[in-house]
Amino acid sequence: MSQQPKPINLALQGGGAHGAFTWGVLDRILEDGRLRIAGISGTSAGAMNAVALADGFTRDGPEGGRAALDRFWRSMAGGAKNSPMKRTPFDVLTGNWGLENNPLYHVIDALSRVVSPYQLNPMNINPLRDLVKKSIDFDRVRQCTAFKLYISATNVESGNIKIFPREEITLDMLMASACLPQLYKAVEIDGVPYWDGGYMGNPSLFPFHGETGTNDILVIQINPIERKGAPIKAQDIQNRMNEISFNSSLLKELRGIDFVDRLIRQGKLSADEYRQVRVHIVENQAELIPLGASSKMNVEWEFLSKLRDLGRETVTYWLDENFAAIGEHSSVDLRQIFQGIGAQHQG
């Protein structure tokens, strides 16, 4: 008799084009069938993946979700086919996926530090918004009842996280979740300006608590928590600052989970009143860290499909190694992550 799929919550980080790694993870999970998605929390590119999946899932279940993700990322690559923001012939020849040798990349990077998007882009032209509008049916997203869905944005005025639940999600809310303030004007929703959710929740875990019927959370991590050595180049310093900033809220939530878990284990908190959250992490930092920050803007199909395949391969190995832990215990030792050792398996 075949085993029933195990329910799990998915937490999807933002990270530009590196979100194609998450696409691969989701594609393989939907194909594999051993896990049942109970809830998804996503930010920026993670939110894009989540919403595209919900759109397709409403249409045709897991296979519909896979097809919708494929269409979304293919449209991303197609939309940038004629863009000057691409690798140089030398980079193509040497297998470098970054854009740091493209002069336009440096021009935009320099301008974003001294000129605001309100000056540089007064018409607020955003090709990504047009692409998303064509690719995703938000009516279907709001009708998706197969799992809970939450996307995060940052309230510019209060500095607090804003969670948009599935039944309310609109195009504006999705674009707010991915709004980098150096490049685009804040997205206003009901008169409130919002920026990228990564500043305060990349992604947010708290919406899952008591809402999805499972206490297992699988974080699909694409932003490195640890990076050895002090960066020296100006762009590397800025990149590391962004990584630390965009990981800080996730680390705080994981610390809270670990703290409550230890108190329950020590008998200082009642297991009847407090939940032991089981945390799992899928990541492949050995492959993602060397790619560099500029590759997050590279949406060439060859690169996106490479990341997709990497995500599929990584989660296939992870499922084989950790499936038994789901529903039983965390498969990572959070304290080792906080101590800078990295994600380690728990027995």
Side-chain angles (χ1 to χ4, degrees), residues 142-274:
R142 290 187 290 269
Q143 292 165 12
C144 180
T145 57
F147 46 81
K148 300 284 187 177
L149 173 59
Y150 311 94
I151 63 174
S152 304
T154 301
N155 184 317
V156 178
E157 296 175 337
S158 69
N160 291 324
I161 190 70
K162 173 67 176 179
I163 304 296
F164 297 108
R166 179 263 306 159
E167 58 270 18
E168 298 177 7
I169 292 174
T170 63
L171 174 60
D172 281 341
M173 292 172 185
L174 184 57
M175 297 313 299
S177 182
C179 178
L180 291 173
Q182 303 94 335
L183 300 178
Y184 299 107
K185 295 180 182 180
V187 178
E188 288 203 6
I189 300 170
D190 297 329
V192 179
Y194 292 96
W195 283 341
D196 194 298
Y199 294 107
M200 296 305 296
N202 192 24
S204 298
L205 307 183
F206 70 87
F208 294 136
H209 300 329
E211 294 294 324
T212 64
T214 181
N215 295 322
D216 284 84
I217 298 176
L218 175 59
V219 179
I220 302 176
Q221 182 187 331
I222 56 179
N223 292 303
I225 291 175
E226 183 179 11
R227 189 183 286 271
K228 296 293 186 181
I232 298 173
K233 296 179 181 177
Q235 284 187 327
D236 292 338
I237 292 171
Q238 185 65 38
N239 177 43
R240 188 57 186 149
M241 288 170 59
N242 288 337
E243 287 175 346
I244 291 171
S245 172
F246 273 42
N247 278 325
S248 63
S249 57
L250 175 63
L251 287 174
K252 286 179 182 177
E253 287 202 77
L254 292 177
R255 284 183 187 275
I257 288 171
D258 180 61
F259 181 63
V260 171
D261 180 68
R262 282 187 285 125
L263 291 179
I264 293 174
R265 290 175 183 271
Q266 295 166 7
K268 296 178 180 179
L269 288 178
S270 168
D272 294 329
E273 296 181 24
Y274 294 88

Side-chain angles (χ1 to χ4, degrees), residues 73-206:
W73 285 99
R74 285 183 185 275
S75 66
M76 287 284 287
K81 200 169 274 187
N82 298 319
S83 170
M85 186 70 78
K86 57 181 61 176
R87 293 183 297 161
T88 65
F90 177 76
D91 291 323
V92 174
L93 185 66
T94 57
N96 175 30
W97 297 106
L99 303 179
E100 63 272 8
N101 294 320
N102 183 316
L104 181 60
Y105 173 79
H106 292 284
V107 169
I108 293 175
D109 182 64
L111 283 174
S112 69
R113 298 173 193 274
V114 294
V115 183
S116 87
Y118 294 84
Q119 300 166 300
L120 191 62
N121 185 11
M123 300 299 293
N124 205 25
I125 298 169
N126 187 345
L128 177 60
R129 181 187 177 91
D130 297 334
L131 185 150
V132 171
K133 186 176 182 180
K134 292 177 181 176
S135 302
I136 295 174
D137 185 327
F138 284 87
D139 285 332
R140 273 203 298 264
V141 172
R142 290 187 290 269
Q143 292 165 12
C144 180
T145 57
F147 46 81
K148 300 284 187 177
L149 173 59
Y150 311 94
I151 63 174
S152 304
T154 301
N155 184 317
V156 178
E157 296 175 337
S158 69
N160 291 324
I161 190 70
K162 173 67 176 179
I163 304 296
F164 297 108
R166 179 263 306 159
E167 58 270 18
E168 298 177 7
I169 292 174
T170 63
L171 174 60
D172 281 341
M173 292 172 185
L174 184 57
M175 297 313 299
S177 182
C179 178
L180 291 173
Q182 303 94 335
L183 300 178
Y184 299 107
K185 295 180 182 180
V187 178
E188 288 203 6
I189 300 170
D190 297 329
V192 179
Y194 292 96
W195 283 341
D196 194 298
Y199 294 107
M200 296 305 296
N202 192 24
S204 298
L205 307 183
F206 70 87

